[in-house]
Amino acid sequence: MKLLKKAFICATAVLCLAACGQSTSDSQDLTQYVNPYIGTGGHGHVFLGANVPFGFVQLGPTEPTRGWDWCSGYHYSDSVLIGFGHTHLSGTGIGDLGDVTLLPVAAADQDSVMFSHSDETVTPGYYALNLKDPNVKVELTATKRAGFHRYTFADSKEALFKLDLKQGIGWDHVKDCSFKQESETLVTGCRLSEGWAKSQQIYFAAEFSKPVKQVGGDDSISVWQVAEASEPVLVKVGLSAVSVENAKENLKAEIPAWDFDGTVAAAKQAWNDELGKIRIETTDSTERRIFYTAMYHSMTAPSTFSDVNGEYRGADGEVHKGDFTNYTTLSLWDTYRAAMPLMTIIHPEKMADMAKTFVNIYKQQGKLPVWHLVGNETDCMVGNPGVVVLADLVLKGFVENKEEAYEALKASAMRDERGIDLLKKYGYLPCDLDPTFETVAKGLEYALADAGIAKVAKELGHEDDYKYFSERSQLYRKHFDKATGFMRGVNAKGEFRVPFDPFNAIHRQDDYTEGNAWQYAWLVPHDVHGLVSCFGSEERFVAKLDSLFIVSGDMGAEASPDISGLIGQYAHGNEPSHHIIYMYNYVGQPWKAADLLRQTLSTMYKDDFDGLSGNEDVGQMSAWYILSSLGLYQVEPEGGKFVFGSPIFDKATLNVGGGKTFVIEAANNSKTNKYIQSVTLDGKEYTKSYIDFKDIQKGGKLVFTMGDKPSKFGTQEADRP
């Protein structure tokens, strides 16, 4: 593996040599800066294969599931393939999908093939692999709702393909499946499965460029023969969650011809269009590759979940139709923190449809999404993250019917489930009454979501609701222990749980979710100054915050593997820590944030297979890098206050929609000149250490002047967020 790794890095260096020392211009192909292998090793769990931005189809190699690190269906340590599946997840901590797998085989009873990474070629929208047995070149590309295969065999003998409807990715199990040969070139069918998504329905239409006949298999795995393969065999596969007829319609609309190379070019253009939403200028080729790979990873999901005719399968399992793009793969506990705020900046054209998706999910299942997958509510993770995202969209002006959205926000926060019944009765979640543990994490997540509801209620004039949800947003005070400076579990009598060890982290069986008391002491992003007051003074708050990044302790053998990327007890590999560094701005010490941000940007992200410090988490890990490398981060979950950090690029031009751009320049920037000395916005002096979303949205120019020593910029109380 080390030799392969070294070879790939060397090859990448050669390919990018011409780019070194050059800035990124409008005419450049930005896909050349993407290294899709980043995160395919270690615990990154990223998807590798061919897809287009926000597509339903992720077509790529699928390996046998050998454990947690195969959640995406692919891990760099492996060399066995069971086929090329049309759906995959990227960066999740649970595996699923892997639907409709196609594999060229040398014999009807062959169920897997060996491969070498040295025989792979991967760029955005295109995957290729030279197999030895059978001797065939596999090429894959995709559109939003369809996959396109090209198989070039070494000789003209018959070609065999195994179509597998049984095999999913590890945690996914087929309940029912079927296929039908509708013509000599068209095979259709469906796959109904249960896994993380409890009721998953995928319909497909697979059209071959040559006549095929079935020569083996059963109801779930069939073997198809192409009599003569002197020319490449092409296969187009349309998918739908609604019906076979819709799968056919999707295929006809998106891949009408047998033009494989044209489809590859279209996929490449689609990626260039989206990657070009941010154009950076830098002389550091490694940081450029990390940045554009992060952009690439941030756009694997949310995924399109409606057909070309507007139909989609709703959260109630029924078929609905709308004049908007419906989305799924909503990993909201992760993505509300950075990935969704990033989308509001560079993908504003998608936000109205995103809001409609959320509101319709509420109408169909009675609450906003928590973690939605293929139209299914998984209820994965804690809190009300769908509330956070929709409230943010309302406050940023992306929602036309605000009262309808507010109904969804309020109703979701008042359901007697997932501990909310206890919250309404006690004002917090008593640790001795909630059977699912994690009461501190749940309570803090509910509090920050309730803060968003309160803001929307105030904007709409619902004063009583504003007061109620504002009060609920303060429940973190019930968990704060002044004696220790930690958030702790509290029982129904109002007593802290004992014994207490701030380092201990028993996975799913203590007061925290994928973390310990050190990491959860800071999960009050909606009211940082309120948290400061809990400590009694800014000095005590800062002393505790300083200690977070240097303290060490044993988290125990049962700690979650998600607690990774440690700097002291700051865990960058998991999302609850992602806002913490920026808290220094709230107490007038932004230079400390700059030091830690530069350290995190340079050590937790690498141009390598093991290039992420934790799961990609469906774009969140990458979105943190994108925003932080630009010098911005939305700490408060709802409303759009972006706190300044330490930009690493000389210049970045953001396409913010409507023909407008927002330019961020970092004058006198370098690895040592990491401290902001002064700022101008549209040529005028700007003293605040944050910027509002509306100022980014309208376009303009933000200039940071950098230096090698901390300055007084942002230290005055009036200039802090």
Side-chain angles (χ1 to χ4, degrees), residues 621-654:
M621 198 68 68
S622 289
W624 188 96
Y625 183 91
I626 294 164
L627 286 170
S628 294
S629 69
L630 299 175
L632 309 171
Y633 195 82
Q634 181 173 303
V635 173
E636 298 167 43
E638 307 100 346
K641 189 179 293 180
F642 286 83
V643 178
F644 294 157
S646 181
I648 64 174
F649 300 120
D650 301 330
K651 183 179 180 181
T653 302
L654 286 63

Side-chain angles (χ1 to χ4, degrees), residues 29 64 159 165 197 336 359 361-362 413-414 491 541 642 645 679 681 708 721:
D29 170 20
L165 302 182
Y336 83 72
V359 171
I361 288 174
Y362 156 70
M414 297 301 289
N491 64 25
F541 175 86
F642 286 83
V679 177
L681 178 61
D708 62 356

Side-chain angles (χ1 to χ4, degrees), residues 172 376 381 418 509 569 581 614 639 721:
D172 176 85
N376 287 242
M381 308 310 291
R418 304 173 69 241
Q509 295 185 42
Q569 284 294 290
I581 295 174

Side-chain angles (χ1 to χ4, degrees), residues 225-297:
Q225 180 192 74
V226 175
E228 191 269 332
S230 59
E231 297 177 348
V233 178
L234 290 86
V235 190
K236 303 187 293 187
V237 183
L239 295 190
S240 168
V242 172
S243 67
V244 166
E245 290 306 311
N246 278 18
K248 293 179 186 177
E249 189 174 350
N250 290 341
L251 183 57
K252 182 179 180 180
E254 296 189 351
I255 313 180
W258 292 101
D259 184 3
F260 183 86
D261 292 333
T263 307
V264 171
K268 182 176 182 178
Q269 186 59 55
W271 278 113
N272 267 315
D273 290 345
E274 297 296 345
L275 294 172
K277 294 289 183 70
I278 304 179
R279 293 186 175 271
I280 60 169
E281 294 184 11
T282 179
T283 58
D284 191 317
S285 60
T286 299
E287 287 178 347
R288 182 188 291 109
R289 284 195 299 277
I290 293 172
F291 180 86
Y292 280 110
T293 304
M295 287 282 285
Y296 169 73
H297 283 151

